[in-house]
């Protein structure tokens, strides 16, 4: 069987890193992006190799769509050099950043930054990479539990993620003729450094989230990395155009 390859944006830390490592444990090689932390990226490559898989780290600012044509060319070059391939199998649009501000306090420049990173970027990056995704491949986008339940302060962020959920259904519809599926995973609150590490480091917030979660704790990066690996497994190849929340049962 041909070696499977995943491309994960924001794979140097947090959920993206965990997904890269969990997929490596299943024998899946990776290309992953990082924006500025090259030392973190090199460390992830080494961790992947210790798990017996290959990884290539490529610098990319997902908020800068002007760079996507060049990035796609770099991906093509790496596929040929490292794997002697002209395509990869799975695209995980994961890169992101948080913003906590009420509707009245949200600045237009912050809104635009979220738009570029969470909606425009994934839209046009996927467009640029589609010629390199193998027929029968998978696209997995990343949303948030905040599209189902509303917490004050996340209107702009959740709106972008809601738009990604709509885009996912359109990708599934338009790419069906190539047998490419598109789904979207919606994590709940996770104890990572996302949003300044508030869920992980703020005891009061951590306890609040745990109390609102059916399984009685906040999520960990391993919970989401395992779910991403499972969603990209061959056994779920018939699942398409779905939003899958992985939150431990928040706000039921």
């Amino acid at each position: 069987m041909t070696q499977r390859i995943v491309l994960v944006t924001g794979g140097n830390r947090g959920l993206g890193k965990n997904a890269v490592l969990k997929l490596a444990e299943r024998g899946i090689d990776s290309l992953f992006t990082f924006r500025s932390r090259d030392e973190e990226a090199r460390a992830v490559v080494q961790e992947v190799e210790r798990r017996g898989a290959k990884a290539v780290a490529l610098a990319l600012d997902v908020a800068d769509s002007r760079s996507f044509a060049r990035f796609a060319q770099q991906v093509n070059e790496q596929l040929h050099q490292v794997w002697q391939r002209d395509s990869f199998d799975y695209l995980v649009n994961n890169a992101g950043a948080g913003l906590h501000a009420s509707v009245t306090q949200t600045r237009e420049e912050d809104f635009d930054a979220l738009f570029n990173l969470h909606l425009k970027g994934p839209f046009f990056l996927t467009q640029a990479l589609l010629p390199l995704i193998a027929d029968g491949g998978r696209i997995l986008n990343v949303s948030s539990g905040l599209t189902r339940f509303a917490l004050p302060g996340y209107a702009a962020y959740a709106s972008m993620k809601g738009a990604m959920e709509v885009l996912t259904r359109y990708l599934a519809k338009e790419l069906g003729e190539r047998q490419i599926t598109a789904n979207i995973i919606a994590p709940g609150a996770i104890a990572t450094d996302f949003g300044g590490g508030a869920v992980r480091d703020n005891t009061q917030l951590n306890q609040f989230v745990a109390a609102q979660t059916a399984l009685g704790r906040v999520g960990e990066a391993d919970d989401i990395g395992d779910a991403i690996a499972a969603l990209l497994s061959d056994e779920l190849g018939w699942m398409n155009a779905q939003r899958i929340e992985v939150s431990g049962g928040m706000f039921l």
Side-chain angles (χ1 to χ4, degrees), residues 111-132:
F111 185 96
D112 289 344
L114 284 176
F115 172 76
N116 289 334
L117 178 58
H118 288 284
L119 181 56
K120 181 180 179 181
F123 187 107
F124 287 102
L125 181 61
T126 301
Q127 181 190 80
L129 293 174
L130 274 174
L132 300 176

Side-chain angles (χ1 to χ4, degrees), residues 80-109:
H80 281 90
Q81 291 174 15
V82 179
W83 290 279
Q84 294 75 54
R85 289 266 307 269
D86 57 9
S87 64
F88 63 93
D89 303 284
Y90 314 123
L91 171 62
V92 180
N93 284 308
N94 163 77
L99 173 69
H100 185 267
S102 67
V103 171
T104 57
Q105 294 173 330
T106 299
R107 301 180 303 172
E108 187 172 354
E109 55 265 37

Side-chain angles (χ1 to χ4, degrees), residues 14-90:
L15 302 185
K17 171 185 174 180
N18 197 278
V20 167
L21 297 178
K22 293 293 186 178
L23 288 163
E25 291 172 0
R26 296 187 178 213
I28 297 173
D29 293 345
S30 63
L31 296 136
F32 69 88
T33 74
F34 65 98
R35 188 168 68 90
S36 59
R37 300 172 183 264
D38 56 338
E39 291 184 4
E40 285 184 351
R42 287 195 297 270
V44 174
V45 170
Q46 293 173 353
E47 288 190 51
V48 168
E49 291 173 348
R50 283 195 290 270
R51 286 163 169 77
K54 295 179 183 177
V56 172
L58 296 172
L60 177 70
D61 182 356
V62 176
D64 181 12
S65 59
R66 297 168 299 179
S67 67
F68 293 168
R70 173 57 185 155
F71 176 73
Q73 183 180 345
Q74 289 179 309
V75 170
N76 189 42
E77 291 168 356
Q78 291 298 318
L79 286 170
H80 281 90
Q81 291 174 15
V82 179
W83 290 279
Q84 294 75 54
R85 289 266 307 269
D86 57 9
S87 64
F88 63 93
D89 303 284
Y90 314 123

Side-chain angles (χ1 to χ4, degrees), residues 131-164:
L132 300 176
I133 300 177
D135 289 354
R138 313 276 188 86
I139 296 171
L140 182 61
N141 296 319
V142 178
S143 181
S144 169
L146 291 163
T147 63
R148 176 178 63 83
F149 50 80
L151 289 175
Y154 295 101
Y157 173 79
S159 294
M160 305 305 165
K161 292 302 190 181
M164 281 300 297

